[in-house]
Amino acid sequence: MAHIAGMFVIRSNQICSRLLNRQLFQCREKFKLPDKPEWIEIDPKALPPETVLDDSTIQLIERLSLVDFNNKEGVERLKSAIKYADQLCVVNTEGLEPMYSVQEHEELFLDEDVVREGNCKQEILRNAVKVEEDYFVTPPGNIPLKQKKLFDKEGS
Amino acid sequence: MLSLSLREVLHLIKTEQISARDLLKKCIERATSVRELNAYITETHELAWSQVGLAPGKSELAGIPIAVKDNFCTRNIPTTCGSKMLDNYVPPYNATVVDRLLTSGAVLMGKTNMDEYAMGCGSIDSRYGPVRNPWKYKFQSSARSSVIIQSKEGPTSGGDWYIAGGSSGGSAVAVATGTCFGALGSDTGGSTRNPASYCGIVGLKPTYGSLSRYGLIPLVNSLDVPGILTKTVDDAALLLRIIAGRDVNDSTTVSESLHLTDLDDQPSVKGLHIGIPKEYNAPGLCGETRRAWEDVANALETAGACVSLVSLPHTQYSINTYSILCACEVASNMARYDGIEFGHRAEGNNMSTESLYAQSRHEGFNEVVRGRIFAGNYFLLRKNYRRYFQQALKVRRLISDDFTKVYGDGVDVLLTPTTLSVALPYSKFSMADNRTRTAEQDYFTQPINMA
């Protein structure tokens, strides 16, 4: 009985071993990603100090942007965008040329100096909210934007 | 019928087993029933009926319904870019890619919803409301219980739904729900591939220069490409063949180097060298995405491809580079919106041009757009130009060189996930702001835009 049981145990061990080997063989064949992400930790000391934005810079950007965003929320957004962009300063780019376009090595075609379209005054004017005698209408120009001090305005 | 691929349905029309009119009728019924998902800003069903009448059966697309993202200009149809700024804008011309589709016989179902000015990765920042993912969506309207994608459980909390991805979310949902058989999107940092992945369809970002950008309202001129969304890769190839090629109106289009090949009926991947960039195994990659990535790699290896780990060392910095380049070009591109020749014009302001522009632009743009313009102008200031913009352009070269090297070393195809995680429920996604989410979800898709 013990002999038969022993045989049975040996037999089932052999079967298990074969199954295990097959499984191991399949595991060895399987492609596996590395367990940990390959990430270079940026040393905070290598980053520049947090940018301090003075009133004149904010007002200059507002005059360039003309979106009326020089309030507390807008400045906070800007600071966080700058902080994010500052991470690039750790990358060594010495001797490299800027890449303005992916097509820098392509020969792009030039257009022929031929008039192909025109005579579409009504189409051009129809999307303007204010038109007078076929002219676009604007208030007077050359008047600088009136700007308040930064923290006079809260919220948007 | 609506779950068939474009090629299958085209075959049915050309062999006269179904008519284009019947197909259009079914698509319109479907579009009406899934209106809750908010995929369309402007529906053009009347126009589609008139077009299907004119589309000859012999034309290449024979009356197949397609949808177009709302940042492509379409003649006499409002084109809003999801923004108040262009709420009243009706272009007098068609974008080239739209024109080529319509000339080939396609009919236009409508202009799809999107993040405002294509800035975003969830299609939730539109003036016209967010786009909802049809997967696991609980329709409010009782008529719609069996149409889509059944699931036993809905999203997490009552009234919640999954995001469709962005910024071409509307186009992706339009294709996924069967309201059309192909859609145009745009891809600047992943805006076609991200929603395609979340909605379970195919999203193709063609190589820069292969499709004309004439008529595509620009976000970042050096990165934008019109994208194609379809149910199958075969369909995407079919549409690409129709709309690709040189355009006299866009001097950045190239056709000499454009090679479109046909695959065998039983394509084989034996001998194909597939690269797995190890830097894409990024912090935050969710378990499900990681497993799917490994499973696909193994399936390809079993089919005879050679799969190996490769390195794109500057991947980690690409999202920062993208954020700078995007902000700078946006600051320049958005300067055209002054409300004078077109677009939203603030009322009651006659003080000065600058004051009028500031008010119109403040009212017309949402915070995301304003924030990017502001940041872009900061990076472009004379004192910052070299430190930010030029540095970003140099890092761009490093990123591009990484890809060139890997392909030069014999890799044919790179296999990567599309996003860090699966589609998030809206309640979770909206807990972080647009900039944070873009930094997370655009992580994998934007490096190749820059290269």
Side-chain angles (χ1 to χ4, degrees):
Chain A
M1 193 69 157
H3 173 72
I4 293 168
M7 285 282 291
F8 179 73
V9 167
I10 291 167
R11 183 90 184 123
S12 60
N13 273 345
Q14 280 171 346
I15 292 168
C16 283
S17 161
R18 251 185 247 147
L19 282 170
L20 204 57
N21 277 338
R22 205 162 82 187
Q23 207 165 359
L24 276 173
F25 183 63
Q26 280 171 342
C27 283
R28 274 203 298 272
E29 276 183 335
K30 265 181 128 171
F31 173 82
K32 202 111 172 57
L33 284 166
D35 284 328
K36 291 204 181 115
E38 300 250 346
W39 200 255
I40 304 167
E41 284 295 330
I42 297 178
D43 181 9
K45 294 194 204 100
L47 292 172
E50 197 169 315
T51 309
V52 173
L53 294 164
D54 57 13
D55 235 14
S56 61
T57 307
I58 300 287
Q59 289 190 345
L60 172 63
I61 304 172
E62 175 50 40
R63 255 205 98 185
L64 291 168
S65 313
L66 289 179
V67 286
D68 203 12
F69 212 36
N70 52 337
N71 50 50
K72 200 167 169 202
E73 192 210 336
V75 173
E76 285 309 314
R77 252 181 211 255
L78 177 60
K79 279 189 181 160
S80 108
I82 296 171
K83 198 171 169 187
Y84 199 61
D86 276 338
Q87 290 179 19
L88 273 196
C89 74
V90 304
V91 184
N92 182 6
T93 54
E94 210 172 303
L96 284 175
E97 286 298 313
M99 183 180 189
Y100 293 100
S101 168
V102 295
Q103 294 178 318
E104 53 188 9
H105 299 302
E106 302 264 357
E107 206 173 298
L108 302 177
F109 68 96
L110 294 174
D111 206 2
E112 298 282 322
D113 190 11
V114 162
V115 173
R116 276 198 301 271
E117 53 184 350
N119 289 324
C120 50
K121 184 169 66 175
Q122 290 314 315
E123 284 181 331
I124 303 288
L125 291 176
R126 75 171 182 201
N127 276 310
V129 170
K130 219 173 194 177
V131 165
E132 200 161 306
E133 292 186 19
D134 291 348
Y135 283 93
F136 294 117
V137 180
T138 74
N142 284 330
I143 299 172
L145 185 71
K146 230 185 223 169
Q147 291 184 314
K148 292 187 184 168
K149 267 199 176 312
L150 181 60
F151 289 105
D152 279 354
K153 282 155 78 175
E154 293 280 326
S156 66
Chain B
M1 202 198 298
L2 296 181
S3 51
L4 294 175
S5 76
L6 196 159
R7 207 181 267 278
E8 284 167 343
V9 138
L10 201 55
H11 176 74
L12 290 178
I13 294 177
K14 293 210 173 199
T15 52
E16 291 177 9
Q17 291 175 60
I18 57 167
S19 78
R21 299 188 80 87
D22 285 340
L23 184 67
L24 179 61
K25 184 162 175 246
K26 282 199 159 33
C27 284
I28 290 176
E29 280 166 6
R30 176 62 61 87
T32 313
S33 62
V34 299
R35 229 173 237 154
E36 255 175 79
L37 299 175
N38 205 18
Y40 288 91
I41 294 177
T42 312
E43 286 171 343
T44 53
H45 300 163
E46 298 283 328
L47 177 68
W49 278 117
S50 68
Q51 285 170 339
V52 85
L54 298 169
K58 301 258 183 290
S59 66
E60 216 166 341
L61 288 175
I64 297 278
I66 53 123
V68 165
K69 187 174 177 185
D70 210 14
N71 59 354
F72 286 93
C73 287
T74 39
R75 188 180 293 119
N76 301 331
I77 301 167
T79 297
T80 65
C81 285
S83 174
K84 185 174 173 183
M85 197 67 195
L86 291 180
D87 209 12
N88 57 359
Y89 178 62
V90 180
Y93 69 104
N94 275 336
T96 302
V97 289
V98 173
D99 217 21
R100 286 180 182 174
L101 280 176
L102 296 179
T103 319
S104 304
V107 302
L108 184 63
M109 285 295 290
K111 307 297 293 299
T112 57
N113 205 349
M114 51 185 279
D115 276 310
E116 189 162 331
Y117 282 107
M119 297 189 203
C121 59
S123 294
I124 58 168
D125 285 319
S126 166
R127 166 166 166 71
Y128 303 95
V131 181
R132 295 146 192 244
N133 199 319
W135 291 88
K136 293 188 181 174
Y137 182 78
K138 277 188 181 146
F139 281 88
Q140 304 299 315
S141 130
S142 57
R144 251 11 303 156
S145 53
S146 60
V147 75
I148 315 281
I149 306 164
Q150 289 290 312
S151 171
K152 294 200 183 85
E153 55 198 297
T156 43
S157 54
D160 202 3
W161 34 271
Y162 291 95
I163 55 160
S167 57
S168 313
S171 290
V173 170
V175 173
T177 49
T179 64
C180 62
F181 290 87
L184 286 180
S186 67
D187 196 308
T188 306
S191 296
T192 293
R193 293 162 282 159
N194 179 313
S197 143
Y198 284 171
C199 293
I201 58 168
V202 169
L204 172 68
K205 178 201 104 60
T207 307
Y208 185 87
S210 53
L211 295 189
S212 170
R213 286 177 298 112
Y214 178 72
L216 168 61
I217 294 174
L219 173 66
V220 182
N221 297 70
S222 66
L223 304 179
D224 280 347
V225 187
I228 299 172
L229 296 112
T230 48
K231 288 197 194 85
T232 66
V233 174
D234 199 25
D235 292 347
L238 196 158
L239 288 181
L240 179 67
R241 198 181 286 273
I242 293 172
I243 61 178
R246 181 180 278 188
D247 179 20
V248 282
N249 292 312
D250 180 358
S251 66
T252 58
T253 49
V254 291
S255 55
E256 273 75 25
S257 47
L258 188 67
H259 300 294
L260 296 173
T261 53
D262 279 316
L263 283 179
D264 299 331
D265 284 333
Q266 300 288 330
S268 160
V269 296
K270 269 197 166 60
L272 197 66
H273 189 173
I274 300 189
I276 308 278
K278 56 184 183 173
E279 289 82 5
Y280 279 54
N281 182 22
L285 183 67
C286 87
E288 196 178 330
T289 310
R290 194 192 151 91
R291 277 191 299 278
W293 193 11
E294 282 177 338
D295 286 348
V296 172
N298 281 307
L300 287 166
E301 198 162 43
T302 311
C306 160
V307 175
S308 59
L309 276 179
V310 296
S311 178
L312 296 170
H314 298 95
T315 305
Q316 185 176 339
Y317 306 109
S318 62
I319 188 72
N320 308 75
T321 312
Y322 174 76
S323 74
I324 296 176
L325 294 180
C326 188
C328 291
E329 291 215 32
V330 156
S332 170
N333 274 324
M334 297 292 139
R336 72 192 70 191
Y337 300 107
D338 54 18
I340 303 296
E341 301 91 347
F342 58 87
H344 172 75
R345 181 184 178 128
E347 282 179 36
N349 186 327
N350 289 314
M351 290 192 289
S352 66
T353 48
E354 290 200 13
S355 164
L356 174 64
Y357 295 170
Q359 194 184 342
S360 304
R361 287 155 68 85
H362 180 87
E363 289 171 9
F365 294 143
N366 72 4
E367 282 160 4
V368 176
V369 181
R370 282 184 275 153
R372 286 203 198 181
I373 296 172
F374 220 54
N377 277 314
Y378 178 80
F379 296 139
L380 290 172
L381 289 177
R382 203 178 306 158
K383 61 182 182 182
N384 295 328
Y385 187 81
R386 207 167 272 158
R387 182 169 152 182
Y388 292 107
F389 188 54
Q390 292 236 303
Q391 174 72 351
L393 289 172
K394 290 178 182 180
V395 178
R396 181 181 180 175
R397 186 174 292 286
L398 288 171
I399 293 164
S400 175
D401 287 349
D402 282 351
F403 282 103
T404 310
K405 183 174 181 311
V406 155
Y407 288 125
D409 285 345
V411 169
D412 296 308
V413 175
L414 288 169
L415 179 67
T416 72
T418 312
T419 49
L420 277 177
S421 71
V422 295
L424 295 174
Y426 173 71
S427 53
K428 209 170 167 188
F429 186 83
S430 53
M431 274 161 54
D433 67 292
N434 181 293
R435 216 182 57 73
T436 312
R437 288 298 180 208
T438 307
E440 290 165 6
Q441 301 301 339
D442 277 352
Y443 185 79
F444 296 135
T445 46
Q446 41 73 31
I448 195 63
N449 282 83
M450 290 196 281

